[in-house]
Amino acid sequence: MIASSYVDVIIDGAHLRVSTELLEKYNQPGPRYTSYPTAPEWDDGFGETDLREVFKQADSNPNRAPLSLYFHLPFCESLCLYCGCNVVISKKHEIAIPYLDHLKREIDWTSREVSSSRQVEQLHWGGGTPTFLSPHQIEDLYSYINARFSFSDTPEVSIEIDPRVTSDDHLRALLRVGFNRVSLGIQDFNPLVQKTVHRIQSFADTRKLFDTCRKLGFESINVDLIYGLPHQTAESFTDTIDKIIEIAPDRIALFSYAHVPWMKKQQGSFARFLPEGMEKFRIFTRAIDRLTRAGYRYIGLDHFARPQDEICRAQDDRTLHRNFQGYTTKAGCDLYAMGVSSISGLEDAYAQNWRDLPSYYRAIDEGRWPVMRGARVSREDKLRRSVINRVLCHCSVVKREVERDFNITFDYHFAAELHRLKELEADGLVRLSEDRIEVAPLGRIFIRNIAMIFDAYLSAEKQQVFSKTL
Ligand SMILES: C[S@@+](CC[C@H](N)C(=O)[O-])C[C@H]1O[C@@H](n2cnc3c(N)ncnc32)[C@H](O)[C@@H]1O
């Protein structure tokens, strides 16, 4: 018989020992819950009429929510082989011209659906690589948006930038128009990893761009890293983490590499070099250890922040929220998304645009909303979404709060879920008491598994479309 191996990890000051058996038990496919119901549950029959109805409903609600706006800019000059996002690869920058034309028409339509009293609290440009656009195109697009929506006095205005294609002119243009937050794609500094995933990016160049962002005065700088990339080891990734600690970003997103070769064929090319199971887990736990020792707080799932960051305060105050962009302090906004493949998330519905450019262009050229699928969110969905968000954001579910918001008796409504949670309690993931469910330190690592207990749609078969939870 093979003796069980284990990893020691310190979370929230607690020393934990995780065995291979426990890891294998919980490292199963599962959603990341940027929405609930999750995307595979959405309906292809949800179309333009539904979308208009949903927009109208959101805007006529007397307690209409402030706005969060998302714009998808899908272009990249080259393909990073790990990439799971919706991208269009081209070195020809003219490709952006017809895209911006169509996007502006969608912006016109969307802006007409929201009353001017609803202010933009949050705006994000994601991709792809938004800095594929020239500084001039950035200023032009931003002023187009600015002229059609009204902004609050303190909006969070953020953008994803790829340091390999972002110039100082880009950064100055971003600041001029109003961007106050940047997110730098890094992933890993190891040369072998970079070569294997086709993303060569030196520490020196990245650091130079980072320092320019600081000098120019962006309020917050985030970096994206991925653990679980081909050829990564706990030791090699520690070197990347140490370099990150040296540049000291305000926030760090440490994503688990999502291996979905059935959707992203190119990921198959390096499958045999992927660290898996215990090795991947070691990379993650070593990074947690290093980052928390350096003073970062582990917010949850894949996010870290400096203790003075407002995201930490929001977690303490139980006002932290989660949407398609991840964790946010701007709770209660309706998210209106524009651009190919983008996803809107309103109180009562989700809607996704066509994921390929020809379908997106065709719909707009024919004067139709480019919506591909969507979902209405039922009362029961909202209740479960709220419980899942509490798990992921607050690490606890206070039953009384849910009862107050949804007029239910928690123990009665969730009797089956509470029963299933007993097994997770025995494994040390949660603490169950009369008035609350609390995520134990070990549960911080397996937090998706805890959230999955409250997912009414998940079955063993449906689970398979997701990447693994760790
Ligand atoms: C939409 S991408 C934009 C980043 C920007 N284009 C760049 O490359 O610098 C945002 C982030 O998603 C993450 N990401 C992309 N594919 C992923 C995958 N398969 N698994 C986990 N994270 C992934 C990466 O960390 C990436 O920085």
Side-chain angles (χ1 to χ4, degrees), residues 194-207:
Q194 290 194 352
K195 187 163 166 250
T196 310
V197 299
H198 288 190
R199 185 187 174 109
I200 307 294
Q201 177 176 345
S202 76
F203 177 55
D205 290 345
T206 309
R207 175 169 203 152

PDB file of all heavy atoms in Angstrom, residues 194-207:
ATOM      1  N   GLN A 194       7.316  30.214 -19.781  1.00  0.00           N
ATOM      2  CA  GLN A 194       6.943  31.240 -20.766  1.00  0.00           C
ATOM      3  C   GLN A 194       7.079  30.711 -22.193  1.00  0.00           C
ATOM      4  O   GLN A 194       6.227  30.947 -23.042  1.00  0.00           O
ATOM      5  CB  GLN A 194       7.821  32.487 -20.589  1.00  0.00           C
ATOM      6  CG  GLN A 194       7.526  33.255 -19.303  1.00  0.00           C
ATOM      7  CD  GLN A 194       8.140  34.656 -19.298  1.00  0.00           C
ATOM      8  OE1 GLN A 194       8.907  35.011 -20.175  1.00  0.00           O
ATOM      9  NE2 GLN A 194       7.800  35.442 -18.289  1.00  0.00           N
ATOM     10  N   LYS A 195       8.175  29.973 -22.429  1.00  0.00           N
ATOM     11  CA  LYS A 195       8.410  29.445 -23.781  1.00  0.00           C
ATOM     12  C   LYS A 195       7.304  28.443 -24.136  1.00  0.00           C
ATOM     13  O   LYS A 195       6.779  28.444 -25.245  1.00  0.00           O
ATOM     14  CB  LYS A 195       9.791  28.768 -23.797  1.00  0.00           C
ATOM     15  CG  LYS A 195      10.239  28.319 -25.133  1.00  0.00           C
ATOM     16  CD  LYS A 195      11.748  28.056 -25.135  1.00  0.00           C
ATOM     17  CE  LYS A 195      12.129  27.291 -26.378  1.00  0.00           C
ATOM     18  NZ  LYS A 195      12.525  25.915 -26.149  1.00  0.00           N
ATOM     19  N   THR A 196       6.943  27.602 -23.169  1.00  0.00           N
ATOM     20  CA  THR A 196       5.950  26.559 -23.437  1.00  0.00           C
ATOM     21  C   THR A 196       4.569  27.156 -23.714  1.00  0.00           C
ATOM     22  O   THR A 196       3.807  26.623 -24.509  1.00  0.00           O
ATOM     23  CB  THR A 196       5.882  25.583 -22.235  1.00  0.00           C
ATOM     24  OG1 THR A 196       7.206  25.180 -21.910  1.00  0.00           O
ATOM     25  CG2 THR A 196       5.043  24.364 -22.538  1.00  0.00           C
ATOM     26  N   VAL A 197       4.240  28.249 -23.032  1.00  0.00           N
ATOM     27  CA  VAL A 197       2.892  28.819 -23.240  1.00  0.00           C
ATOM     28  C   VAL A 197       2.886  29.951 -24.284  1.00  0.00           C
ATOM     29  O   VAL A 197       1.863  30.598 -24.496  1.00  0.00           O
ATOM     30  CB  VAL A 197       2.257  29.320 -21.915  1.00  0.00           C
ATOM     31  CG1 VAL A 197       2.106  28.175 -20.927  1.00  0.00           C
ATOM     32  CG2 VAL A 197       3.046  30.477 -21.302  1.00  0.00           C
ATOM     33  N   HIS A 198       4.047  30.157 -24.925  1.00  0.00           N
ATOM     34  CA  HIS A 198       4.163  31.208 -25.959  1.00  0.00           C
ATOM     35  C   HIS A 198       3.866  32.600 -25.417  1.00  0.00           C
ATOM     36  O   HIS A 198       3.041  33.334 -25.976  1.00  0.00           O
ATOM     37  CB  HIS A 198       3.222  30.925 -27.148  1.00  0.00           C
ATOM     38  CG  HIS A 198       3.669  29.776 -27.989  1.00  0.00           C
ATOM     39  ND1 HIS A 198       3.100  29.476 -29.202  1.00  0.00           N
ATOM     40  CD2 HIS A 198       4.639  28.850 -27.793  1.00  0.00           C
ATOM     41  CE1 HIS A 198       3.691  28.414 -29.719  1.00  0.00           C
ATOM     42  NE2 HIS A 198       4.624  28.022 -28.871  1.00  0.00           N
ATOM     43  N   ARG A 199       4.481  32.907 -24.292  1.00  0.00           N
ATOM     44  CA  ARG A 199       4.312  34.256 -23.761  1.00  0.00           C
ATOM     45  C   ARG A 199       5.645  34.665 -23.123  1.00  0.00           C
ATOM     46  O   ARG A 199       5.912  34.378 -21.950  1.00  0.00           O
ATOM     47  CB  ARG A 199       3.206  34.289 -22.708  1.00  0.00           C
ATOM     48  CG  ARG A 199       2.923  35.716 -22.236  1.00  0.00           C
ATOM     49  CD  ARG A 199       1.952  35.763 -21.077  1.00  0.00           C
ATOM     50  NE  ARG A 199       1.849  37.115 -20.603  1.00  0.00           N
ATOM     51  CZ  ARG A 199       0.785  37.903 -20.759  1.00  0.00           C
ATOM     52  NH1 ARG A 199      -0.289  37.433 -21.333  1.00  0.00           N
ATOM     53  NH2 ARG A 199       0.795  39.123 -20.315  1.00  0.00           N
ATOM     54  N   ILE A 200       6.460  35.327 -23.907  1.00  0.00           N
ATOM     55  CA  ILE A 200       7.778  35.729 -23.419  1.00  0.00           C
ATOM     56  C   ILE A 200       7.665  37.145 -22.879  1.00  0.00           C
ATOM     57  O   ILE A 200       7.311  38.073 -23.608  1.00  0.00           O
ATOM     58  CB  ILE A 200       8.832  35.679 -24.550  1.00  0.00           C
ATOM     59  CG1 ILE A 200       8.829  34.305 -25.251  1.00  0.00           C
ATOM     60  CG2 ILE A 200      10.223  36.039 -24.018  1.00  0.00           C
ATOM     61  CD1 ILE A 200       9.275  33.138 -24.412  1.00  0.00           C
ATOM     62  N   GLN A 201       7.965  37.287 -21.599  1.00  0.00           N
ATOM     63  CA  GLN A 201       7.766  38.588 -20.940  1.00  0.00           C
ATOM     64  C   GLN A 201       8.796  38.717 -19.817  1.00  0.00           C
ATOM     65  O   GLN A 201       8.682  38.034 -18.793  1.00  0.00           O
ATOM     66  CB  GLN A 201       6.339  38.615 -20.383  1.00  0.00           C
ATOM     67  CG  GLN A 201       5.975  39.836 -19.624  1.00  0.00           C
ATOM     68  CD  GLN A 201       4.502  39.794 -19.192  1.00  0.00           C
ATOM     69  OE1 GLN A 201       3.696  39.004 -19.685  1.00  0.00           O
ATOM     70  NE2 GLN A 201       4.145  40.635 -18.261  1.00  0.00           N
ATOM     71  N   SER A 202       9.784  39.574 -20.007  1.00  0.00           N
ATOM     72  CA  SER A 202      10.858  39.627 -19.016  1.00  0.00           C
ATOM     73  C   SER A 202      10.419  40.383 -17.767  1.00  0.00           C
ATOM     74  O   SER A 202       9.524  41.240 -17.813  1.00  0.00           O
ATOM     75  CB  SER A 202      12.089  40.321 -19.611  1.00  0.00           C
ATOM     76  OG  SER A 202      11.865  41.722 -19.658  1.00  0.00           O
ATOM     77  N   PHE A 203      11.085  40.047 -16.664  1.00  0.00           N
ATOM     78  CA  PHE A 203      10.799  40.743 -15.401  1.00  0.00           C
ATOM     79  C   PHE A 203      11.196  42.212 -15.543  1.00  0.00           C
ATOM     80  O   PHE A 203      10.463  43.107 -15.099  1.00  0.00           O
ATOM     81  CB  PHE A 203      11.577  40.071 -14.261  1.00  0.00           C
ATOM     82  CG  PHE A 203      11.402  40.773 -12.937  1.00  0.00           C
ATOM     83  CD1 PHE A 203      10.138  41.004 -12.410  1.00  0.00           C
ATOM     84  CD2 PHE A 203      12.515  41.210 -12.216  1.00  0.00           C
ATOM     85  CE1 PHE A 203       9.966  41.660 -11.187  1.00  0.00           C
ATOM     86  CE2 PHE A 203      12.353  41.865 -10.999  1.00  0.00           C
ATOM     87  CZ  PHE A 203      11.080  42.086 -10.486  1.00  0.00           C
ATOM     88  N   ALA A 204      12.343  42.456 -16.205  1.00  0.00           N
ATOM     89  CA  ALA A 204      12.835  43.840 -16.319  1.00  0.00           C
ATOM     90  C   ALA A 204      11.811  44.738 -17.023  1.00  0.00           C
ATOM     91  O   ALA A 204      11.492  45.833 -16.534  1.00  0.00           O
ATOM     92  CB  ALA A 204      14.158  43.850 -17.068  1.00  0.00           C
ATOM     93  N   ASP A 205      11.273  44.253 -18.164  1.00  0.00           N
ATOM     94  CA  ASP A 205      10.300  45.074 -18.904  1.00  0.00           C
ATOM     95  C   ASP A 205       9.006  45.255 -18.109  1.00  0.00           C
ATOM     96  O   ASP A 205       8.407  46.333 -18.112  1.00  0.00           O
ATOM     97  CB  ASP A 205       9.972  44.430 -20.261  1.00  0.00           C
ATOM     98  CG  ASP A 205      11.152  44.517 -21.206  1.00  0.00           C
ATOM     99  OD1 ASP A 205      12.083  45.297 -20.916  1.00  0.00           O
ATOM    100  OD2 ASP A 205      11.146  43.797 -22.225  1.00  0.00           O
ATOM    101  N   THR A 206       8.587  44.189 -17.451  1.00  0.00           N
ATOM    102  CA  THR A 206       7.335  44.256 -16.685  1.00  0.00           C
ATOM    103  C   THR A 206       7.497  45.252 -15.545  1.00  0.00           C
ATOM    104  O   THR A 206       6.630  46.075 -15.272  1.00  0.00           O
ATOM    105  CB  THR A 206       6.977  42.866 -16.116  1.00  0.00           C
ATOM    106  OG1 THR A 206       7.032  41.919 -17.169  1.00  0.00           O
ATOM    107  CG2 THR A 206       5.604  42.865 -15.478  1.00  0.00           C
ATOM    108  N   ARG A 207       8.650  45.158 -14.894  1.00  0.00           N
ATOM    109  CA  ARG A 207       8.908  46.045 -13.753  1.00  0.00           C
ATOM    110  C   ARG A 207       8.936  47.514 -14.192  1.00  0.00           C
ATOM    111  O   ARG A 207       8.431  48.393 -13.499  1.00  0.00           O
ATOM    112  CB  ARG A 207      10.255  45.642 -13.141  1.00  0.00           C
ATOM    113  CG  ARG A 207      10.608  46.555 -12.079  1.00  0.00           C
ATOM    114  CD  ARG A 207      11.724  46.207 -11.215  1.00  0.00           C
ATOM    115  NE  ARG A 207      11.411  46.973 -10.037  1.00  0.00           N
ATOM    116  CZ  ARG A 207      11.737  46.682  -8.846  1.00  0.00           C
ATOM    117  NH1 ARG A 207      12.418  45.614  -8.610  1.00  0.00           N
ATOM    118  NH2 ARG A 207      11.407  47.444  -7.850  1.00  0.00           N
TER     119      ARG A 207
END
